[in-house]
Amino acid sequence: MHLGIAVSLEQGLVVPVIRNADDLTLGELNQRTKELAEKARTGKLAPDEMTGSTFTISNMGMLDVENFTAIINTGEAAILAVSSTMKKAVVRDDKIVVRSIMKITLSSDHRIVDGAMAAKFANAIKQKLEDLELWKRLTA
């Protein structure tokens, strides 16, 4: 899978592409994302570094956006919109507590991806994000 990472510039949005992202570790993905974002900001992205993605992540978390729907880029199967984390009152064990809540929206091309499969994928992302043991292992 070739993963597009939306990067906002003063001139507009660009989508650098991480080739074979599914073969990389989380640390390698993080490093490659930082490298491509820096190249985008400094105007050093090559044209072939902005083509061929199959899935894009668009993150507006740093812009205090509660929710948004991203539009699928031409030729891609899907795009994931990641919103800001916000404190919300939620019910846990019949008690109202404050928790950090982040909304994600998955838009998929149903000619390529079955809607039920896309919903299962979105739920898998949710489960991974809520897995405290996983986060402990990743940040250790």
Side-chain angles (χ1 to χ4, degrees):
M1 175 186 70
H2 301 319
L3 179 64
I5 304 294
V7 177
S8 179
L9 306 174
E10 285 186 28
Q11 308 89 316
L13 190 71
V14 295
V15 183
V17 178
I18 300 171
R19 306 263 178 237
N20 303 308
D22 49 330
D23 293 335
L24 302 176
T25 66
L26 191 58
E28 291 168 332
L29 279 171
N30 182 42
Q31 183 61 37
R32 190 69 182 127
T33 298
K34 288 178 182 178
E35 291 168 1
L36 287 171
E38 181 61 24
K39 285 179 83 172
R41 289 185 190 101
T42 58
K44 296 179 180 172
L45 276 176
D48 67 329
E49 291 178 304
M50 295 183 284
T51 60
S53 59
T54 53
F55 183 91
T56 289
I57 298 173
S58 182
N59 177 9
M60 288 197 192
M62 70 296 283
L63 299 174
D64 200 30
V65 173
E66 187 170 353
N67 193 39
F68 74 104
T69 303
I71 298 171
I72 303 167
N73 297 310
T74 302
E76 291 189 358
I79 188 166
L80 181 70
V82 180
S83 301
S84 303
T85 301
M86 299 187 165
K87 299 278 187 188
K88 299 283 182 180
V90 296
V91 178
R92 294 288 190 260
D93 299 322
D94 292 328
K95 294 179 183 165
I96 297 174
V97 295
V98 175
R99 293 288 189 262
S100 294
I101 303 295
M102 180 184 74
K103 295 180 182 178
I104 62 170
T105 304
L106 180 68
S107 301
S108 61
D109 185 336
H110 287 241
R111 295 169 297 181
I112 301 170
V113 179
D114 177 87
M117 193 64 105
K120 289 177 185 176
F121 178 69
N123 280 323
I125 292 170
K126 176 184 179 288
Q127 289 171 355
K128 294 288 185 195
L129 290 171
E130 292 176 344
D131 184 346
L132 294 180
E133 293 305 314
L134 175 64
W135 285 107
K136 287 177 187 176
R137 289 192 309 273
L138 290 174
T139 57

